[in-house]
Amino acid sequence: MALVLGSGHSDIPNSNQLQGNGKSIVGRKYANYHPPIWGDRFLKSSFDDLNLIDAIQRLGVAYHFEKENADALIRIHNTYSDKEDDSDDLHTISLRFRLLRQEGYNASPNVFNKFKDGEGSFKKSLVRDIREHLKLALPHLNSPLSTLVELALELPLRKHVERLQSRWWKKCDFGAKLPFIKDRVVECYFWIIGVYFEPQYSRARLMISRIISLTSAMDDIYDVYGTMEELKVFKDAIQRWDRSAIDQLPDYIRVHFCTLLDAVEEFEEKLAREGKSYRISYLKEALEQMRGHVASCIQIYMKEHGSTYEEACEKFKRMAADAWKDINKECLKPTEVPMPLLMRAVNFARVIEVLYQHRDGYTNSTFETKDRISLVLVDPVPV
């Protein structure tokens, strides 16, 4: 080690000399090390880390690299949280700010102050109609860049689903036995795959897809087909949760009720093996709270305020925007509940944004919903 590291040392001997006051002078060695040749090259390499993390998340495979991403982001946070960022690259600063906030770090918005004028607005040199520019450029872009631009124009990245079980449904034969219902099992699976897309949640996807499909059918029984007397008996049967109530049900409701009981009993049996069957009680309680048709919040608002449909929609869009602010705030560290649990709520809100952005994309899935399901479940990823 001495042979390797000693070449930069001076030749001053390490000896003590006496001063006139009797105190000794300590002769110390010193090294003629050259200044750092890398500068802040490896600090700036965090930009490469940011781009890599961003790409991994957009591909929907971040669950493979949770520890690596978390370690990189905490290192980046510790590097930049307590000092002024001297970068003038708006893209780098914006990307870092978004990824840190997304991870739960309360990154300060003051990093954007350098890009603002004296009145607090972004400098005119930065203010451009990016949206219109992207729209004009879109026809000239090739895939997959064109797809990324289309998605960016539709919704902010925070609100997009990260990853845009039919045999059971076919076996039930609901399409023939309950021809009045919406046959949306694929849409249900798309819905839940946006909430639980990671591999470790495969069982949750299967269970919740079945429950959503069954509750969707139940909703149509209430809203479309059932009579008041039939629905009263149906509601009583669900509240009792007893197979003996089957004989009192009309044939078409009996089909649904038996399938619902079978599914929940199957779930309970599987969870009991792990000592988690208590969770089924929450599911049953939620199902017992099902009720008949009620007016939508839009209809209620229009009636109470004498507003038009368009005015009511604008009101609820503003409420949704405020709700997203609350969601983002609750995801900042330290959180009261574990982040994986919070992300289910975030992902659920993302799916709602995607499905209902332009219309009821669940009931009428022939437009944007069809294209998005194809992107996630049908079309291969270009390599």
Side-chain angles (χ1 to χ4, degrees), residues 367-382:
F367 293 94
E368 298 87 3
T369 302
K370 179 181 178 181
D371 296 335
R372 287 162 178 165
I373 290 176
S374 295
L375 282 173
V376 175
L377 300 176
V378 179
D379 299 337
V381 177

Side-chain angles (χ1 to χ4, degrees), residues 113-145:
N113 287 346
K114 67 177 67 179
F115 303 106
K116 297 180 180 180
D117 57 26
E119 297 179 356
S121 301
F122 278 98
K123 297 175 182 177
K124 291 184 178 180
S125 59
L126 298 173
V127 179
R128 295 172 293 181
D129 195 340
I130 301 297
R131 198 171 189 83
E132 288 303 316
H133 177 73
L134 289 174
K135 286 181 180 178
L136 292 174
L138 186 56
H140 307 287
L141 300 177
N142 297 321
S143 181
L145 181 58

